[in-house]
């Protein structure tokens, strides 16, 4: 019988899956009723509820993302709540279409219960991603329309 992974181990597995482009595997790290919030996302859903919806989102990213991601400077901090970790890291982002490479800072607050993510608050440097994709004008237009 295998031991339930710690919140730290679950985060590291999530990060490894993202950077390896194994998006089809990621939904399995989340509980059925999981909630993912991205409060700083400039356009798109700021809250996704449920493993099925997350799986669909990961499929969409896998099908359309022109980004290669490598993680660096990873720090995972445990908290006084044994279910919660706070992770900080940088992505080295290479945009395959524009050829641009940027660094994007990230913070994620994860609540992991019984080895599955039940809640996540994700803070990513969306401006750096827009710059990498040469999509800053579209981002500004989307913000103006909101």
């Amino acid at each position: 019988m295998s031991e339930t992974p710690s919140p730290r181990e679950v985060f590291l597995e999530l990060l490894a899956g993202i950077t390896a482009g194994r998006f089809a595997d990621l939904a399995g790290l989340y509980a059925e009723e999981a909630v993912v919030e991205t409060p700083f996302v400039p356009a798109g859903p700021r809250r996704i509820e449920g493993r099925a919806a997350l799986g669909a989102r990961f499929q969409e990213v896998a099908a359309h993302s022109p980004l290669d991601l490598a993680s660096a400077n990873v720090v995972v901090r445990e908290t006084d709540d044994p279910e919660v970790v706070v992770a900080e890291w940088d992505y080295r982002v290479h945009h395959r279409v524009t050829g641009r490479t940027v660094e994007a800072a990230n913070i994620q607050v994860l609540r992991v219960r019984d080895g599955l993510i039940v809640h996540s608050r994700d803070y990513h440097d969306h401006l750096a991603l827009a710059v990498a994709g040469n999509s800053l004008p579209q981002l500004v237009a989307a913000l103006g329309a909101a």
Side-chain angles (χ1 to χ4, degrees):
M1 185 176 230
S2 65
E3 190 174 313
T4 302
S6 70
R8 173 187 296 270
E9 292 167 329
V10 171
F11 166 75
L12 292 173
E13 187 175 346
L14 175 66
L15 185 60
I18 291 169
T19 57
R22 294 190 317 262
F23 294 101
D25 300 339
L26 298 181
L29 297 174
Y30 291 83
E32 284 292 332
E33 70 285 354
V35 173
V36 173
E37 297 177 280
T38 52
F40 293 158
V41 69
R46 291 190 173 180
R47 182 179 175 98
I48 300 173
E49 297 184 30
R51 181 189 291 158
L54 286 163
R57 177 69 180 136
F58 288 133
Q59 285 179 344
E60 180 182 326
V61 169
H64 302 293
S65 177
L67 305 177
D68 293 321
L69 304 171
S71 61
N73 309 316
V74 178
V75 177
V76 181
R77 301 182 192 285
E78 294 173 351
T79 69
D80 58 352
D81 184 332
E83 293 185 340
V84 176
V85 292
V86 178
E88 302 174 65
W89 75 100
D90 296 316
Y91 276 134
R92 292 197 176 111
V93 181
H94 174 73
H95 196 286
R96 291 186 302 272
V97 175
T98 67
R100 288 186 177 174
T101 299
V102 298
E103 284 206 14
N106 305 274
I107 295 176
Q108 199 167 35
V109 181
L110 289 178
R111 177 173 296 278
V112 178
R113 188 173 297 134
D114 299 324
L116 296 172
I117 301 165
V118 295
H119 188 259
S120 179
R121 288 183 61 89
D122 304 356
Y123 302 90
H124 306 291
D125 186 349
H126 295 281
L127 181 58
L129 299 174
V131 167
N134 202 25
S135 58
L136 196 51
Q138 296 92 325
L139 178 59
V140 170
L143 289 172

Coordinates of all heavy atoms in Angstrom, one line a residue, residues 75-129:
V75 N 10.6 27.2 -4.7 CA 10.6 27.2 -3.3 C 9.2 26.8 -2.8 O 8.2 27.4 -3.3 CB 11.0 28.6 -2.7 CG1 10.9 28.5 -1.1 CG2 12.3 29.0 -3.1
V76 N 9.1 25.8 -2.0 CA 7.8 25.3 -1.5 C 7.8 25.5 0.0 O 8.7 25.0 0.7 CB 7.5 23.9 -1.8 CG1 6.1 23.5 -1.3 CG2 7.6 23.6 -3.3
R77 N 6.9 26.3 0.5 CA 6.8 26.7 1.9 C 5.6 26.0 2.6 O 4.5 26.1 2.1 CB 6.7 28.2 2.1 CG 7.9 28.9 1.5 CD 7.7 30.4 1.8 NE 8.6 31.2 1.0 CZ 9.9 31.3 1.2 NH1 10.5 30.6 2.1 NH2 10.7 32.1 0.4
E78 N 5.9 25.2 3.6 CA 4.8 24.6 4.4 C 4.3 25.7 5.3 O 5.0 26.6 5.7 CB 5.4 23.4 5.1 CG 5.8 22.4 4.0 CD 6.5 21.1 4.6 OE1 6.8 21.1 5.8 OE2 6.7 20.2 3.8
T79 N 3.0 25.5 5.7 CA 2.4 26.4 6.6 C 2.0 25.8 7.9 O 2.2 24.6 8.1 CB 1.1 27.0 5.9 OG1 0.1 26.0 5.8 CG2 1.4 27.6 4.5
D80 N 1.3 26.5 8.8 CA 0.9 25.9 10.0 C -0.4 25.0 9.8 O -0.8 24.3 10.7 CB 0.6 27.0 11.1 CG -0.4 28.0 10.7 OD1 -0.9 28.0 9.5 OD2 -0.8 28.8 11.5
D81 N -0.9 25.1 8.6 CA -2.0 24.2 8.2 C -1.4 23.0 7.4 O -0.8 23.3 6.3 CB -3.0 24.9 7.4 CG -4.2 24.1 7.0 OD1 -4.1 22.8 6.9 OD2 -5.3 24.6 6.8
P82 N -1.4 21.8 7.9 CA -0.7 20.7 7.2 C -1.2 20.4 5.8 O -0.6 19.7 5.0 CB -0.9 19.5 8.1 CG -2.1 19.8 9.0 CD -2.1 21.3 9.1
E83 N -2.4 20.9 5.4 CA -2.9 20.7 4.1 C -2.5 21.8 3.1 O -2.7 21.6 1.9 CB -4.5 20.7 4.1 CG -5.1 19.6 4.8 CD -6.6 19.6 4.7 OE1 -7.2 20.6 4.4 OE2 -7.2 18.5 4.9
V84 N -1.9 22.8 3.6 CA -1.6 24.0 2.7 C -0.1 24.2 2.5 O 0.7 24.2 3.5 CB -2.2 25.3 3.3 CG1 -1.9 26.5 2.5 CG2 -3.7 25.1 3.4
V85 N 0.3 24.4 1.3 CA 1.7 24.8 0.9 C 1.6 26.1 0.0 O 0.6 26.3 -0.7 CB 2.5 23.8 0.2 CG1 2.8 22.6 1.1 CG2 1.8 23.3 -1.1
V86 N 2.6 26.9 0.1 CA 2.7 28.1 -0.8 C 4.0 27.8 -1.6 O 5.1 27.6 -1.0 CB 2.8 29.4 0.1 CG1 3.0 30.6 -0.9 CG2 1.6 29.5 0.9
A87 N 3.8 27.8 -2.9 CA 4.9 27.6 -3.8 C 5.3 28.9 -4.6 O 4.3 29.6 -5.0 CB 4.6 26.4 -4.8
E88 N 6.5 29.1 -4.7 CA 7.0 30.3 -5.5 C 8.0 29.7 -6.5 O 8.8 28.9 -6.2 CB 7.8 31.3 -4.6 CG 6.9 31.8 -3.5 CD 7.8 32.7 -2.6 OE1 8.3 33.8 -3.1 OE2 8.0 32.3 -1.4
W89 N 7.9 30.2 -7.7 CA 8.9 29.7 -8.8 C 8.8 30.6 -10.0 O 7.9 31.5 -10.1 CB 8.6 28.3 -9.2 CG 7.4 28.1 -10.1 CD1 7.4 27.9 -11.4 CD2 6.0 28.0 -9.7 NE1 6.1 27.7 -11.9 CE2 5.2 27.8 -10.9 CE3 5.3 28.1 -8.5 CZ2 3.9 27.7 -10.8 CZ3 4.0 28.0 -8.5 CH2 3.2 27.8 -9.6
D90 N 9.8 30.5 -10.8 CA 9.8 31.2 -12.1 C 9.6 30.2 -13.2 O 10.1 29.1 -13.1 CB 11.1 31.9 -12.3 CG 11.3 33.0 -11.2 OD1 10.4 33.8 -11.0 OD2 12.5 33.1 -10.7
Y91 N 8.9 30.6 -14.2 CA 8.9 29.9 -15.5 C 9.9 30.6 -16.4 O 9.8 31.8 -16.6 CB 7.5 29.8 -16.1 CG 6.6 28.8 -15.7 CD1 5.3 29.1 -15.4 CD2 7.0 27.5 -15.5 CE1 4.4 28.2 -14.9 CE2 6.1 26.5 -15.1 CZ 4.8 26.9 -14.8 OH 3.9 25.9 -14.4
R92 N 10.7 29.8 -17.1 CA 11.4 30.3 -18.3 C 10.5 29.9 -19.4 O 10.3 28.7 -19.7 CB 12.8 29.7 -18.3 CG 13.6 30.3 -17.2 CD 15.1 30.1 -17.4 NE 15.8 30.7 -16.3 CZ 16.5 30.0 -15.3 NH1 16.5 28.7 -15.4 NH2 17.0 30.7 -14.4
V93 N 9.9 30.9 -20.0 CA 8.9 30.7 -21.1 C 9.5 31.0 -22.4 O 10.0 32.0 -22.7 CB 7.7 31.7 -20.9 CG1 6.6 31.4 -21.9 CG2 7.2 31.6 -19.4
H94 N 9.4 30.0 -23.3 CA 9.8 30.2 -24.7 C 8.5 30.0 -25.5 O 7.8 29.0 -25.5 CB 10.8 29.1 -25.2 CG 11.1 29.2 -26.6 ND1 11.8 30.2 -27.2 CD2 10.7 28.5 -27.7 CE1 11.9 30.1 -28.5 NE2 11.2 29.0 -28.8
H95 N 8.2 31.1 -26.3 CA 7.1 31.1 -27.2 C 7.5 30.6 -28.6 O 8.3 31.2 -29.2 CB 6.5 32.5 -27.3 CG 5.1 32.6 -27.8 ND1 4.8 32.3 -29.2 CD2 3.9 32.8 -27.2 CE1 3.5 32.4 -29.4 NE2 3.0 32.7 -28.2
R96 N 7.0 29.4 -29.0 CA 7.4 28.8 -30.2 C 7.1 29.6 -31.5 O 7.8 29.4 -32.5 CB 6.9 27.3 -30.3 CG 7.4 26.4 -29.3 CD 7.0 25.0 -29.5 NE 5.5 24.8 -29.4 CZ 4.8 24.6 -28.3 NH1 5.4 24.5 -27.1 NH2 3.5 24.4 -28.4
V97 N 6.1 30.4 -31.4 CA 5.7 31.1 -32.6 C 6.5 32.4 -32.7 O 7.0 32.7 -33.8 CB 4.2 31.5 -32.6 CG1 3.8 32.3 -33.8 CG2 3.4 30.2 -32.6
T98 N 6.6 33.2 -31.7 CA 7.3 34.5 -31.7 C 8.8 34.3 -31.6 O 9.6 35.2 -31.9 CB 6.8 35.5 -30.7 OG1 7.2 34.9 -29.4 CG2 5.3 35.7 -30.8
G99 N 9.2 33.2 -31.0 CA 10.6 33.0 -30.7 C 11.1 33.7 -29.4 O 12.3 33.6 -29.0
R100 N 10.2 34.4 -28.8 CA 10.6 35.2 -27.6 C 10.8 34.3 -26.4 O 10.0 33.3 -26.2 CB 9.6 36.3 -27.3 CG 9.6 37.4 -28.2 CD 8.7 38.5 -27.8 NE 8.8 39.6 -28.7 CZ 8.0 40.6 -28.6 NH1 7.1 40.7 -27.7 NH2 8.2 41.6 -29.5
T101 N 11.7 34.6 -25.5 CA 11.9 33.9 -24.2 C 11.8 35.0 -23.1 O 12.5 36.0 -23.2 CB 13.2 33.2 -24.2 OG1 13.2 32.2 -25.2 CG2 13.4 32.5 -22.9
V102 N 11.0 34.7 -22.1 CA 10.8 35.6 -20.9 C 10.8 34.8 -19.7 O 10.7 33.5 -19.7 CB 9.5 36.4 -21.0 CG1 9.5 37.3 -22.3 CG2 8.3 35.5 -21.0
E103 N 11.0 35.5 -18.6 CA 10.7 34.8 -17.3 C 9.4 35.3 -16.7 O 9.1 36.5 -16.8 CB 11.9 35.1 -16.3 CG 13.1 34.3 -16.6 CD 14.0 34.1 -15.4 OE1 13.6 34.3 -14.3 OE2 15.1 33.7 -15.7
A104 N 8.7 34.4 -16.1 CA 7.4 34.7 -15.5 C 7.4 34.2 -14.1 O 7.6 33.0 -13.8 CB 6.3 34.1 -16.3
A105 N 7.1 35.1 -13.1 CA 7.1 34.8 -11.7 C 5.7 34.1 -11.4 O 4.7 34.5 -12.0 CB 7.3 36.0 -10.9
N106 N 5.7 33.2 -10.4 CA 4.4 32.5 -10.1 C 4.4 32.3 -8.6 O 5.4 32.0 -8.0 CB 4.4 31.2 -10.8 CG 4.5 31.3 -12.2 OD1 3.6 31.4 -12.9 ND2 5.8 31.1 -12.7
I107 N 3.2 32.3 -8.0 CA 2.9 31.9 -6.7 C 1.7 31.1 -6.7 O 0.7 31.5 -7.4 CB 2.8 33.1 -5.7 CG1 4.1 33.9 -5.6 CG2 2.3 32.6 -4.3 CD1 4.0 35.1 -4.7
Q108 N 1.7 30.0 -6.0 CA 0.5 29.1 -5.9 C 0.2 28.7 -4.5 O 1.2 28.4 -3.8 CB 0.7 27.9 -6.8 CG -0.6 27.2 -7.2 CD -0.3 26.2 -8.3 OE1 0.8 25.6 -8.4 NE2 -1.3 26.0 -9.2
V109 N -1.0 28.9 -4.0 CA -1.4 28.4 -2.7 C -2.3 27.2 -2.9 O -3.4 27.3 -3.5 CB -2.1 29.6 -1.9 CG1 -2.5 29.1 -0.5 CG2 -1.3 30.8 -1.9
L110 N -1.8 26.1 -2.4 CA -2.5 24.8 -2.6 C -3.0 24.3 -1.3 O -2.3 24.2 -0.3 CB -1.6 23.8 -3.3 CG -1.1 23.9 -4.7 CD1 -0.2 22.7 -5.0 CD2 -2.3 23.9 -5.6
R111 N -4.2 23.8 -1.4 CA -4.8 23.0 -0.3 C -4.9 21.5 -0.8 O -5.6 21.3 -1.8 CB -6.1 23.5 0.2 CG -6.7 22.6 1.3 CD -8.0 23.2 2.0 NE -7.7 24.4 2.6 CZ -7.2 24.5 3.9 NH1 -6.9 23.4 4.6 NH2 -6.9 25.7 4.4
V112 N -4.2 20.6 -0.2 CA -4.2 19.2 -0.6 C -4.7 18.4 0.5 O -4.3 18.4 1.6 CB -2.8 18.8 -1.0 CG1 -2.7 17.3 -1.4 CG2 -2.2 19.7 -2.1
R113 N -5.7 17.5 0.1 CA -6.4 16.7 1.1 C -6.4 15.2 0.5 O -6.8 15.1 -0.6 CB -7.8 17.1 1.4 CG -8.5 16.4 2.5 CD -9.8 17.1 2.9 NE -9.6 18.4 3.3 CZ -10.3 19.5 2.9 NH1 -11.3 19.3 2.0 NH2 -10.1 20.7 3.4
D114 N -5.9 14.3 1.3 CA -5.8 12.9 0.9 C -5.1 12.8 -0.5 O -5.5 12.0 -1.3 CB -7.2 12.3 0.8 CG -8.0 12.3 2.1 OD1 -7.3 12.1 3.2 OD2 -9.2 12.5 2.1
G115 N -4.0 13.6 -0.7 CA -3.2 13.4 -1.8 C -3.8 14.1 -3.1 O -3.2 14.0 -4.2
L116 N -4.9 14.8 -3.0 CA -5.5 15.5 -4.1 C -5.7 17.0 -3.8 O -6.0 17.4 -2.7 CB -6.8 14.9 -4.5 CG -6.8 13.4 -4.9 CD1 -8.2 12.9 -5.0 CD2 -6.1 13.3 -6.2
I117 N -5.5 17.8 -4.8 CA -5.7 19.3 -4.7 C -7.2 19.5 -4.6 O -8.0 19.2 -5.5 CB -5.1 20.0 -5.9 CG1 -3.6 19.7 -6.0 CG2 -5.4 21.5 -5.8 CD1 -3.0 20.1 -7.3
V118 N -7.6 20.2 -3.5 CA -9.0 20.6 -3.3 C -9.2 22.0 -3.6 O -10.4 22.4 -4.0 CB -9.6 20.2 -1.9 CG1 -9.6 18.7 -1.8 CG2 -8.8 20.8 -0.8
H119 N -8.2 22.8 -3.5 CA -8.3 24.3 -3.7 C -6.9 24.8 -4.1 O -5.9 24.4 -3.5 CB -8.9 25.0 -2.5 CG -9.2 26.4 -2.8 ND1 -8.3 27.5 -2.5 CD2 -10.2 27.0 -3.4 CE1 -8.9 28.6 -2.8 NE2 -10.0 28.4 -3.4
S120 N -6.9 25.7 -5.1 CA -5.7 26.4 -5.5 C -6.0 27.8 -5.9 O -7.0 28.1 -6.5 CB -5.2 25.6 -6.7 OG -4.0 26.2 -7.2
R121 N -5.1 28.7 -5.4 CA -5.1 30.1 -5.8 C -3.8 30.3 -6.5 O -2.8 30.2 -5.9 CB -5.3 31.0 -4.6 CG -6.7 31.0 -4.1 CD -7.0 31.9 -3.0 NE -6.8 33.3 -3.3 CZ -7.8 34.2 -3.8 NH1 -9.0 33.7 -4.0 NH2 -7.5 35.4 -4.0
D122 N -3.9 30.7 -7.8 CA -2.7 30.7 -8.7 C -2.5 32.2 -9.1 O -3.4 32.9 -9.6 CB -3.0 29.9 -10.0 CG -3.3 28.4 -9.7 OD1 -3.3 28.0 -8.5 OD2 -3.6 27.7 -10.6
Y123 N -1.3 32.6 -8.9 CA -0.9 34.0 -9.2 C 0.3 33.9 -10.2 O 1.4 33.5 -9.8 CB -0.5 34.8 -8.0 CG -1.6 34.8 -6.9 CD1 -1.6 33.8 -6.0 CD2 -2.5 35.8 -6.9 CE1 -2.6 33.9 -5.0 CE2 -3.5 35.9 -6.0 CZ -3.6 34.9 -5.0 OH -4.6 35.0 -4.1
H124 N 0.0 34.2 -11.5 CA 1.0 34.1 -12.5 C 1.2 35.5 -13.2 O 0.4 36.3 -13.2 CB 0.6 33.1 -13.6 CG 0.2 31.8 -13.1 ND1 1.1 30.9 -12.6 CD2 -1.0 31.1 -13.0 CE1 0.5 29.8 -12.2 NE2 -0.8 29.9 -12.5
D125 N 2.4 35.7 -13.7 CA 2.8 36.9 -14.4 C 2.2 36.9 -15.8 O 2.9 36.6 -16.7 CB 4.3 37.1 -14.4 CG 4.7 38.4 -14.9 OD1 3.9 39.2 -15.5 OD2 5.9 38.7 -14.8
H126 N 0.9 37.2 -15.9 CA 0.3 37.2 -17.2 C 0.8 38.2 -18.2 O 0.8 38.0 -19.4 CB -1.2 37.4 -17.0 CG -1.9 36.2 -16.3 ND1 -2.1 35.0 -16.8 CD2 -2.2 36.1 -15.0 CE1 -2.6 34.2 -15.9 NE2 -2.7 34.9 -14.8
L127 N 1.3 39.3 -17.7 CA 1.9 40.3 -18.5 C 3.2 39.8 -19.3 O 3.3 40.0 -20.5 CB 2.3 41.6 -17.7 CG 2.9 42.7 -18.5 CD1 2.0 43.2 -19.6 CD2 3.3 43.9 -17.6
A128 N 4.0 39.0 -18.5 CA 5.2 38.4 -19.2 C 4.7 37.4 -20.3 O 5.3 37.4 -21.4 CB 6.0 37.7 -18.2
L129 N 3.7 36.7 -20.0 CA 3.2 35.7 -21.0 C 2.6 36.5 -22.3 O 2.9 36.0 -23.4 CB 2.1 34.8 -20.4 CG 2.6 34.0 -19.2 CD1 1.4 33.2 -18.6 CD2 3.6 33.0 -19.6

